Amino acid sequence: MMNYARHTTIQAVEGLSTQELDFLVEAQSNSIGALLLHFAAVEYAYQLQTFEGRDLTEEELSEWGPALNLGEEGRKHIRGHDLAYYLARMDQVRLRTYQLFQTVGDDWLGKEEQDFWYHKPANYYFMWFHVFEDEINHRGQIRLIRKRIGRMELETK
Amino acid sequence: MMNYARHTTIQAVEGLSTQELDFLVEAQSNSIGALLLHFAAVEYAYQLQTFEGRDLTEEELSEWGPALNLGEEGRKHIRGHDLAYYLARMDQVRLRTYQLFQTVGDDWLGKEEQDFWYHKPANYYFMWFHVFEDEINHRGQIRLIRKRIGRMELETK
């Protein structure tokens, strides 16, 4: 499911230029580029949470903060990159996910529950479901933004 | 995962008025109302596909077609309903999903593969994953549309 979600994400952004990846529908919007880096950042944060039981350090936050938080911080810091840059960052984190998953069995997904959102218990399966559930949510937004860009480009031709 | 997705969908639309549910960001957009009915329609179609091995009949298509196809057809036919209407339609279909799932065991999800998208094999687990994967994708869009409505309402105050 995680890889299928990524497959559809990559389809949704295929061929986008740096300018298109930086495009903001409105002043308060997230760019497609920022959403792509968000996928890598969320996945990295859940690697730490589920395999190391910790949050990001200050140093890690200075690297991933804008992509995790999006909004003003994302608009300011995430721009000017081409598609290959975002895909490489996403691949790099995914590769580490594969390596980490190889250190555990399927039973790891369900064997333990931790205090999670709203102080309700969640196992690692739910946490990793959330990683790609968040990606699918934003992929829907990427598709909308891309359609919008396409119509604007048509209008200015 | 399917119920969690629905929980977040309901959160995303809480308190919306009929006018807000009908709102179109652009002339070619889907309204939030149409997206909600789309969730019920997709789920109904996959009930037929996975439990009856058939597509919708002409009669069923006249009921569900606009919600399945969205776009022009959706904009024309799906409007003027309040939130309770959409939630009831979604509940009604979900209830039938529970009833159908009670007639099979967990093994049913993986025991058979059928020719599916791009002529690749898929089991029922993938098909039902797609049902809520599609909902999560559009929930991301609903959140965007709702933010947009909120900002427009603020501006006109």
Side-chain angles (χ1 to χ4, degrees):
Chain A
M1 290 187 283
M2 191 161 63
N3 285 348
Y4 173 77
R6 178 58 49 86
H7 169 75
T8 60
T9 293
I10 292 171
Q11 275 190 322
V13 296
E14 211 177 350
L16 289 177
S17 67
T18 300
Q19 202 185 349
E20 290 167 329
L21 290 162
D22 284 349
F23 177 78
L24 302 176
V25 173
E26 294 180 284
Q28 298 102 318
S29 300
N30 295 309
S31 69
I32 292 178
L35 293 173
L36 291 178
L37 203 58
H38 182 67
F39 300 157
V42 168
E43 187 167 341
Y44 184 71
Y46 277 81
Q47 288 175 357
L48 299 185
Q49 163 132 11
T50 62
F51 284 94
E52 304 181 31
R54 67 173 179 91
D55 291 329
L56 283 79
T57 60
E58 282 297 314
E59 199 189 329
E60 287 163 337
L61 265 179
S62 73
E63 182 182 354
W64 293 109
L68 277 175
N69 302 328
L70 294 172
E72 186 53 37
E73 212 181 324
R75 280 188 292 278
K76 191 172 164 192
H77 294 284
I78 308 168
R79 46 184 302 153
H81 305 296
D82 64 8
L83 183 58
Y85 167 85
Y86 293 110
L87 296 181
R89 297 293 298 272
M90 289 153 69
D91 270 357
Q92 193 183 13
V93 175
R94 178 59 47 93
L95 192 66
R96 188 163 179 262
T97 296
Y98 292 148
Q99 290 166 345
L100 290 166
F101 273 50
Q102 275 164 9
T103 66
V104 293
D106 284 355
D107 61 319
W108 174 84
L109 291 166
K111 84 175 165 194
E112 204 186 312
E113 293 193 336
Q114 291 176 0
D115 195 39
F116 200 55
W117 300 337
Y118 311 108
H119 293 290
K120 290 193 175 171
N123 59 24
Y124 295 140
Y125 192 75
F126 180 79
M127 295 178 199
W128 281 95
F129 161 61
H130 174 63
V131 171
F132 67 78
E133 183 253 339
D134 186 67
E135 177 163 343
I136 293 165
N137 173 85
H138 291 300
R139 181 200 71 203
Q141 299 175 338
I142 288 174
R143 287 180 179 168
L144 262 194
I145 299 168
R146 184 172 192 154
K147 275 189 192 168
R148 185 71 179 271
I149 293 174
R151 283 199 285 266
M152 289 179 65
E153 286 170 346
L154 265 180
E155 282 163 18
T156 56
K157 259 176 195 160
Chain B
M1 290 187 282
M2 190 160 66
N3 284 349
Y4 173 77
R6 178 59 48 87
H7 169 73
T8 61
T9 293
I10 291 170
Q11 275 190 321
V13 297
E14 211 177 349
L16 289 176
S17 67
T18 300
Q19 200 185 350
E20 290 168 327
L21 290 163
D22 284 349
F23 175 78
L24 302 176
V25 173
E26 295 180 284
Q28 298 102 318
S29 301
N30 295 309
S31 70
I32 292 178
L35 292 174
L36 291 178
L37 202 57
H38 181 67
F39 302 155
V42 167
E43 186 166 339
Y44 184 71
Y46 276 81
Q47 288 175 356
L48 300 185
Q49 162 132 10
T50 62
F51 284 94
E52 302 181 33
R54 67 173 178 90
D55 290 329
L56 283 78
T57 61
E58 282 298 315
E59 199 188 331
E60 287 164 336
L61 264 179
S62 74
E63 182 182 355
W64 293 108
L68 278 176
N69 302 329
L70 295 172
E72 186 53 39
E73 212 180 324
R75 282 187 291 277
K76 192 171 165 192
H77 295 283
I78 308 167
R79 46 184 302 154
H81 305 295
D82 63 9
L83 184 57
Y85 167 85
Y86 294 110
L87 296 181
R89 297 293 298 272
M90 288 153 71
D91 271 357
Q92 192 183 15
V93 174
R94 178 58 50 91
L95 192 65
R96 187 162 180 263
T97 296
Y98 292 148
Q99 290 166 345
L100 290 166
F101 272 50
Q102 275 165 7
T103 66
V104 293
D106 284 355
D107 61 317
W108 174 85
L109 291 166
K111 85 174 167 195
E112 204 186 310
E113 293 194 336
Q114 291 177 0
D115 195 40
F116 200 55
W117 300 337
Y118 310 109
H119 294 291
K120 290 192 177 172
N123 59 24
Y124 295 139
Y125 192 73
F126 181 79
M127 295 178 200
W128 281 96
F129 161 61
H130 174 64
V131 171
F132 66 79
E133 183 252 340
D134 187 67
E135 178 164 342
I136 293 166
N137 173 86
H138 291 300
R139 181 202 71 201
Q141 299 175 339
I142 287 174
R143 288 181 179 169
L144 263 195
I145 299 167
R146 183 171 193 157
K147 276 190 192 169
R148 185 70 177 271
I149 293 173
R151 283 199 285 267
M152 290 178 67
E153 286 171 345
L154 265 181
E155 282 162 18
T156 55
K157 259 178 196 161

